[in-house]
């Protein structure tokens, strides 16, 4: 199977987690796009969606799926999103598409986070994928210096990229993350950081992993 076919397979499998008549939280990225396309086929089953990015909002609306602002919604039973890396504890690095902050907000509201990924995303140790950090523009120099001082990785500005929130992304390359929860909290404490792409305090509840042998369902160790 191609990677595209794997993404489609795992997106289809996520439909089983939808709660009929309710809102679904929708992530961002190529795997989430496959999920949006699957949602379009069964949209009569759901009330609508909350999107984690403007790109996902546009794709949902393009299919005629009603998109609600998060603050107009009382509950999100399920949030479905991809990941750049995921470990056996279902902690993730996300934000390759730069939508980490809104993804983190929607995930925080959701009762259940279903991560959809192809097998290449499962890793023993997080950090080979550069860790995205969303930064208020005026704090860029300060945040880069502070990230460098943490040690173990090289902060690099994502050139020419502005988030949906009007901020910048710094990608920290070359990390080997042994305590994701502690590092997530530590980076969040740097003044000028909006959020970082570690999803450890709020990991996924379920990971649907597409492999050549089918879709596997992982829960945390
Ligand atoms: C976007 C994300 C995505 O979930 C992550 O980058 C995975 O994307 P893809 O499904 O295209 O591999 O966090 O901010």
């Amino acid at each position: 199977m191609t990677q595209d076919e794997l993404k489609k397979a795992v997106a289809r499998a996520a439909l089983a987690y939808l709660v009929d008549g309710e809102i679904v939280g929708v992530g961002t990225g190529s795997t989430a796009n496959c999920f949006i396309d699957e949602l379009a086929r069964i949209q009569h089953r759901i009330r609508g969606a909350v999107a984690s990015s403007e790109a996902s909002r546009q794709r949902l609306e393009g299919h005629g799926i009603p998109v609600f602002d998060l603050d107009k919604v009382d509950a999100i039973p399920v949030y479905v999103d991809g990941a750049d890396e995921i470990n056996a504890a279902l902690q993730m690095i996300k934000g390759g598409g730069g939508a980490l902050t809104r993804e983190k907000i929607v995930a925080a509201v959701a009762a259940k986070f279903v991560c959809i990924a192809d097998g290449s995303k499962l890793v023993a140790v997080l950090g080979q994928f550069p860790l995205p950090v969303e930064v208020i523009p005026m704090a860029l120099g300060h945040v880069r210096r502070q990230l460098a001082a943490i040690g173990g990785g090289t902060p690099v500005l994502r050139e020419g990229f502005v988030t949906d929130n009007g901020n910048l992304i710094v990608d920290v390359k070359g990390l080997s993350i042994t305590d994701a929860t502690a590092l997530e909290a530590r980076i969040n404490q740097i003044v000028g950081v909006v959020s970082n792409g570690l999803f450890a305090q709020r990991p996924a509840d379920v990971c649907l992993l597409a492999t050549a042998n089918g879709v596997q369902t992982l829960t945390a160790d």
Side-chain angles (χ1 to χ4, degrees):
M1 280 172 108
T2 64
Q3 203 173 25
D4 207 40
E5 287 168 336
L6 292 173
K7 287 178 186 184
K8 285 182 180 157
V10 82
R12 203 167 308 125
L15 295 178
Y17 288 82
L18 295 181
V19 179
D20 285 357
E22 294 286 352
I23 302 282
V24 59
V26 175
T28 298
S30 57
T31 319
N33 281 346
C34 292
F35 177 66
I36 293 171
D37 296 345
E38 290 294 328
L39 264 187
R41 294 192 303 107
I42 56 84
Q43 57 181 284
H44 57 279
R45 276 180 51 196
I46 57 168
R47 202 174 124 217
V50 166
S52 63
S53 64
E54 291 307 316
S56 290
R57 170 188 288 276
Q58 283 172 19
R59 196 176 185 99
L60 286 157
E61 288 178 341
H63 284 304
I65 298 171
V67 179
F68 293 83
D69 287 339
L70 180 61
D71 64 352
K72 301 286 187 298
V73 163
D74 293 329
I76 300 177
V78 181
Y79 175 56
V80 178
D81 197 358
D84 298 303
E85 285 184 348
I86 186 163
N87 66 15
L90 306 193
Q91 298 169 325
M92 296 161 284
I93 286 181
K94 293 182 44 54
L100 57 151
T101 300
R102 295 190 187 193
E103 292 172 341
K104 212 171 244 199
I105 294 168
V106 182
V109 173
K112 181 176 280 187
F113 186 148
V114 177
C115 176
I116 51 175
D118 64 79
S120 69
K121 305 290 182 70
L122 184 64
V123 297
V125 179
L126 298 171
Q128 200 169 335
F129 190 92
L131 176 63
V133 180
E134 181 164 355
V135 180
I136 302 274
M138 70 174 285
L140 178 62
H142 171 71
V143 171
R144 282 172 84 157
R145 287 189 292 275
Q146 294 291 312
L147 287 170
I150 287 176
T154 307
V156 178
L157 176 67
R158 198 179 292 185
E159 293 287 347
F161 186 86
V162 177
T163 70
D164 285 347
N165 312 309
N167 297 316
L168 303 174
I169 297 284
V170 171
D171 293 301
V172 187
K173 301 189 175 180
L175 290 170
S176 178
I177 302 169
T178 48
D179 187 342
T181 309
L183 185 62
E184 180 179 3
R186 188 166 176 197
I187 294 175
N188 282 344
Q189 281 175 350
I190 300 171
V191 173
V193 166
V194 179
S195 72
N196 72 82
L198 277 170
F199 283 59
Q201 291 169 14
R202 201 285 179 248
D205 299 295
V206 178
C207 175
L208 301 177
L209 199 70
T211 71
N213 299 322
V215 175
Q216 297 173 8
T217 303
L218 310 183
T219 50
D221 292 341

